Amino acid sequence: MNAKERARNRWKLLANTVSKKCQDQIFASQISYDLFNIECINTEWSKYSSCVQNNNFSAIVCRSPIIVTPEELMGFNNTGNVRIWPSEEVLAYYVLSNLDSFRDKTVLELGGGMSCLAGIMAALYGFCSDVHLTDGNPNSVYNIERILEKNVFTTKVTCSVLKWDQRPANICHYDVILAADCLFFDEARDDLVHTIAASLSFGGVALVAAPKRGTTLYEFIKMAQQEGLICTVQQNYNTLVWERHSKQVLYNPSYDADSHYPLLISITKATKIIDCHFQ
């Protein structure tokens, strides 16, 4: 399957979700690394649970009630209302596997879609000092507000619409920035880089989980370097995720690592351009 066919299939998936009748089938048939046990509570709400390092973690999450129309799919910030994509689940699992990195930290999630699952897990279990969850789509943010009301937090958690091309005069700086599968659309990539550069504190780290998808990941890294950011790319960043990925490669003929497997980019600030390192 070439790059054009993969892109066509991706957009076919998005278009198919317009039909409510086939939505559940699409959710069930997509690539999954089975990092979370998903227990259906009712037609909207589910419990996402995972056992990490002998600890049990869970969050109550709802699927967006918004039916995505073909017109809405034309905007890059609408794909988060289709489903919780594998990169978001992988990033959420990574957060749960590295909770010490979030203690007493301020956290921002960018483009978290209808769940902000990674940021939600950080807020629930990371002992963060502050967590702010964002997406560019008001429908997604409305859904996140519902999730915040349903779960019990001991950390301050807020959410808002954040469009990367609209830069506020007063920008908060965060110790940790999370973003999952936000590199696919050409028109948004440069604005995402500027948002990360403006919002990341010196000494902080941005964690971006995304598949290669041809050259899109490397184009993002090039833009980030030009902005004076240091990027480190990891393929094997979590033992269980890597095991599940390896099994998909061996046993799933429809699995394509280039378009499915999220690499992890760790981004820090620098005063000069530094080459990207691969591990």
Side-chain angles (χ1 to χ4, degrees):
M1 185 181 293
N2 59 38
K4 287 185 178 180
E5 289 174 330
R6 289 194 295 269
R8 192 180 302 114
N9 286 340
R10 179 178 175 84
W11 283 108
K12 183 178 179 181
L13 163 64
L14 296 177
N16 282 343
T17 59
V18 175
S19 170
K20 188 68 175 177
K21 184 172 68 174
C22 67
Q23 192 170 37
D24 290 336
Q25 181 180 350
I26 290 167
F27 270 67
S29 65
Q30 295 311 300
I31 295 297
S32 173
Y33 298 104
D34 296 322
L35 301 171
F36 290 89
N37 177 54
I38 305 173
E39 178 186 345
C40 181
I41 298 173
N42 54 41
T43 55
E44 281 190 275
W45 292 91
S46 298
K47 182 179 180 180
Y48 275 66
S49 305
S50 189
C51 182
V52 184
Q53 299 167 357
N54 296 319
N55 295 308
N56 294 314
F57 303 101
S58 64
I60 307 300
V61 177
C62 61
R63 185 185 303 179
S64 174
I66 306 299
I67 298 176
V68 184
T69 66
E71 290 76 16
E72 288 176 318
L73 284 176
M74 295 303 292
F76 76 88
N77 65 348
N78 294 299
T79 57
N81 282 320
V82 173
R83 62 167 296 187
I84 300 177
W85 296 95
S87 292
E88 182 75 25
E89 293 183 0
V90 166
L91 187 58
Y93 189 83
Y94 181 85
V95 168
L96 292 174
S97 301
N98 297 273
L99 289 175
D100 288 343
S101 301
F102 295 85
R103 182 178 291 272
D104 299 323
K105 301 292 178 63
T106 56
V107 179
L108 169 69
E109 180 160 10
L110 299 172
M114 65 179 179
S115 73
C116 281
L117 187 63
I120 289 290
M121 291 302 183
L124 284 170
Y125 301 108
F127 296 100
C128 311
S129 63
D130 184 273
V131 177
H132 188 56
L133 311 173
T134 70
D135 193 79
N137 188 306
N139 292 331
S140 293
V141 174
Y142 167 71
N143 205 63
I144 297 165
E145 289 175 346
R146 299 173 70 208
I147 293 172
L148 295 185
E149 292 173 358
K150 198 78 169 179
N151 292 273
V152 178
F153 299 90
T154 58
T155 295
K156 179 185 175 184
V157 192
T158 54
C159 64
S160 70
V161 174
L162 177 60
K163 297 181 183 295
W164 305 331
D165 60 345
Q166 298 175 1
R167 299 163 197 171
N170 298 317
I171 298 178
C172 297
H173 294 93
Y174 294 86
D175 300 315
V176 182
I177 295 177
L178 303 171
D181 212 348
C182 294
L183 313 183
F184 182 74
F185 292 92
D186 295 336
E187 63 268 33
R189 203 173 296 127
D190 188 52
D191 289 325
L192 174 58
V193 168
H194 286 301
T195 299
I196 291 174
S199 304
L200 185 63
S201 63
F202 283 97
V205 60
L207 301 171
V208 179
K212 288 181 184 178
R213 292 215 183 88
T215 62
T216 60
L217 183 140
Y218 300 111
E219 288 168 3
F220 169 81
I221 289 172
K222 182 179 179 180
M223 289 179 179
Q225 290 175 328
Q226 291 171 346
E227 193 71 20
L229 299 173
I230 305 171
C231 299
T232 301
V233 179
Q234 294 176 278
Q235 295 186 63
N236 185 355
Y237 45 84
N238 180 274
T239 302
L240 182 61
V241 174
W242 184 255
E243 288 177 358
R244 300 288 169 82
H245 158 67
S246 300
K247 286 183 179 179
Q248 293 277 8
V249 171
L250 288 174
Y251 302 114
N252 186 350
S254 65
Y255 185 78
D256 178 75
D258 181 88
S259 58
H260 289 133
Y261 181 65
L263 302 182
L264 183 68
I265 313 170
S266 299
I267 303 171
T268 55
K269 277 191 172 180
T271 55
K272 61 181 180 179
I273 300 173
I274 299 178
D275 288 337
C276 181
H277 306 285
F278 291 87
Q279 296 183 354

